Amino acid sequence: MLNRILLTELSVTLIVLLSTTKMLTIQSQLLTELSAALTVLLSTTKMLTIQSQLLTELSAALTVLLSTTKMLIIQSHFTDNFSGLLLSFL
């Protein structure tokens, strides 16, 4: 009778151990998937940071180009006006 009780308790303990092992396996798989997702997120964040830096540099270059274009337009108007004045004196 005592052996039967001990075998029953051992069986229950083994069932609990097996269940715990299965849960740990599932947790391990979930952590692996989470790690992969975080790696993708980190990579995406790095790419977005690089894109942001490139857009900032492009914005600065376009600002310089716009400023240069405005200066050239002003110089062109000045040259036209100056040419008109010279022609009126001739």
Side-chain angles (χ1 to χ4, degrees), residues 29-46:
Q29 290 169 345
L30 290 174
L31 285 173
T32 301
E33 291 177 11
L34 179 59
S35 177
L38 288 174
T39 301
V40 169
L41 181 59
L42 179 60
S43 177
T44 303
T45 302
K46 285 182 180 178

Side-chain angles (χ1 to χ4, degrees), residues 7-25:
L7 283 175
T8 302
E9 289 179 7
L10 181 59
S11 177
V12 169
T13 303
L14 287 174
I15 290 171
V16 169
L17 181 59
L18 179 60
S19 176
T20 304
T21 303
K22 285 182 180 179
M23 287 189 293
L24 288 174
T25 302

Side-chain angles (χ1 to χ4, degrees), residues 63-80:
T63 301
V64 169
L65 181 60
L66 179 60
S67 177
T68 304
T69 302
K70 285 182 179 179
M71 287 190 291
L72 289 173
I73 291 170
I74 292 169
Q75 287 176 353
S76 175
H77 287 308
F78 178 75
T79 303
D80 288 345

